[in-house]
């Protein structure tokens, strides 16, 4: 610490501080103090003593990065991944899995106490992921013409060709791609596909699309796999059809070591950087893979939305179903139903499920998924829930015995909370991907007479700070 900052007691940019790391904060960083002053630290584990450099200083807090671990926390573990620290994907791989679960639960409790003003919220233990690694059924990689060089590579790369990259975006550097040769969140086969694809196109000198000049052919490589079915899809997104080179790439991916069931090429000339083709060309297979969730089979196309951790999604839905205490005569409303996975998961156990969702494509998928699985007691409505619930849209729908709601990170609109509150429905299950907004919404629901009976954190994304919750609410004296 410099003289001046020592005197004032507040750290300054560039200071190297010796810090005792106290706890994990929201969004993956840790908290330490210099006197009363809060420092958010990147790269630490609670229980560490570290030297950390201050990168930014704000009025209320500073942000610092670990330079050296002086005393390692007992919860510190060796990260499995060689890319840890540079790749922003798994911020918590250096923390033991038990500690990750502990901090996720703590964050949920904190949110309900501080934002929702709940005393002793009934937060259960975090349900661990069935598999802490290899859990993702989809990974999306980007090609780039500006590879991110690691410190020991600086000065060693002389030719532009060596800057060709296929991997993940470096956090906050959207023009830079980090080479990934082994991602522990996907299967070994998928890693082989990733590396073989990079080698192949690099060898043939095919240029990557540049987000600066909008020139270049190769944009994205999306790999999806059915964890139950074992089927695997490669979706290559390019700027042109590349008829000259695709037959050879197709032949490569047919090789059995990759176990690819279908190869689809998405072609787009748009400037947008999303991995969606304007035209999809199926090179082999039928352009879809199958995946099972509970008793249902889903056909997944290259761009369709699907829960990324299949095995854990099944546990999440099973928890939601059990929180709903379903009986055969129930009518269930599934709000923010997406492609209907929750609706279909429980349809066989109830009289009827009504799903409401804004996205038209998702509703079409939901209807198709119902038909494919011979489920005939679901109805899907494409509407903004805010409009639907405050207008006549749902007037003729059967009244719900249970509402299940699974809003996006922003939580529910206050009008939706209000309409649920006034509906008189006794059983309410809130599936949340954001503890802060669900705590806020549950506090509003409390004003309508709902009691939060149980909050069950479910870990869908090991090694990240994200946490999903199933919240069971009940209204005792419904009118
Ligand atoms: N329940 C689904 C998906 C939940 S994700 C599943 O388990 O797979 C949240 C969904 O809410 C998204 O599909 C999004 O399109 C939808 N959504 C967001 N805002 C909405 C609104 N105002 N009205 C209806 N649906 C909305």
């Amino acid at each position: 610490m410099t003289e001046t900052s020592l005197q004032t007691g507040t750290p300054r940019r560039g200071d190297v501080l010796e810090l005792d790391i106290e706890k994990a904060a929201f969004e993956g960083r840790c908290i330490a103090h210099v006197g009363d002053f809060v420092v958010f630290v990147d790269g630490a584990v609670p229980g560490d003593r570290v030297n950390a450099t201050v990168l930014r200083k704000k009025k209320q807090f500073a942000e610092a990065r670990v330079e050296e671990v002086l005393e390692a926390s007992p919860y510190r573990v060796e990260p499995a991944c060689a890319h840890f620290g540079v790749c922003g994907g798994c911020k918590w791989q250096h923390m033991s899995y038990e500690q990750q679960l502990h901090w996720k639960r703590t964050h949920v409790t904190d949110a309900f106490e501080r934002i929702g003003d709940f005393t002793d919220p009934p937060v259960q233990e975090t349900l661990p992921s069935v598999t802490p690694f290899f859990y993702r059924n989809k990974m999306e990689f980007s090609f780039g013409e500006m590879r991110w060089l690691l410190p020991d590579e600086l000065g060693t790369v002389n030719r532009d060709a060596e800057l060709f990259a296929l991997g993940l975006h470096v956090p906050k550097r959207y023009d830079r791609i980090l080479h990934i040769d082994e991602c522990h969140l996907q299967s070994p086969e998928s890693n082989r596909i990733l590396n073989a694809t990079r080698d192949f196109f690099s060898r043939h000198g095919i240029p990557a699309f540049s987000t600066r000049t909008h020139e270049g052919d190769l944009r994205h490589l999306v790999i999806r796999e059915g964890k139950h079915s074992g089927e695997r899809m490669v979706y290559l997104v390019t700027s042109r059809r590349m008829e000259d080179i695709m037959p050879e790439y197709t032949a490569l991916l047919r090789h059995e070591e990759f176990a690819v069931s279908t190869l689809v090429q998405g072609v787009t000339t748009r400037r947008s950087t999303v991995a969606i083709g304007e035209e999809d060309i199926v090179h082999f297979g039928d352009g879809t893979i199958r995946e099972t969730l509970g008793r249902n089979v889903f056909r997944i196309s290259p761009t369709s939305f699907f829960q990324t951790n299949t095995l854990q999604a099944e546990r999440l839905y099973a928890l939601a179903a059990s929180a709903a205490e379903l009986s055969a005569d129930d009518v269930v409303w599934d709000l923010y139903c997406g492609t209907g996975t929750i609706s279909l998961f429980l349809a066989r156990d109830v009289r009827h499920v009504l799903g409401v969702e804004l996205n038209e494509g998702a509703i079409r998928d939901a209807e198709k998924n119902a038909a494919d699985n011979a489920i005939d007691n679901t109805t899907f409505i494409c509407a903004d829930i805010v409009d639907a619930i405050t207008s006549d849209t749902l007037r003729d729908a059967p009244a719900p015995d249970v509402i299940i709601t699974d809003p996006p990170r922003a939580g529910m609109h206050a009008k939706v909370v209000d309409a649920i509150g006034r509906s008189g429905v006794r059983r309410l299950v809130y599936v949340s991907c954001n503890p802060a907004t669900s705590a806020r919404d549950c506090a509003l629901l409390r004003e309508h007479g709902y009691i939060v009976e149980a909050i069950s954190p479910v870990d869908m994304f090991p090694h990240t700070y994200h946490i999903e919750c199933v919240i069971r609410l009940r209204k005792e004296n419904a009118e």
Side-chain angles (χ1 to χ4, degrees), residues 305 307 317 334 336-339 341-342 356-359 383-386 406-408:
F305 172 81
Q307 288 277 348
Y317 293 169
D334 177 13
Y336 308 89
C337 69
T339 51
T341 34
I342 295 181
V356 186
E357 159 66 45
L358 183 61
N359 182 299
D384 185 327
I385 289 174
V386 184
D406 183 7

Side-chain angles (χ1 to χ4, degrees), residues 266-304:
V267 183
T268 179
T269 52
R270 295 206 179 113
R271 287 192 169 189
S272 128
T273 54
V274 292
I276 299 179
E278 290 162 278
E279 176 196 17
D280 281 348
I281 304 166
V282 178
H283 289 280
F284 65 86
D286 71 0
T288 65
I289 54 167
R290 282 171 303 173
E291 179 65 309
T292 312
L293 262 188
R295 289 167 282 179
N296 300 313
V297 180
F298 294 84
R299 277 218 168 268
I300 304 173
S301 56
T303 55
S304 52

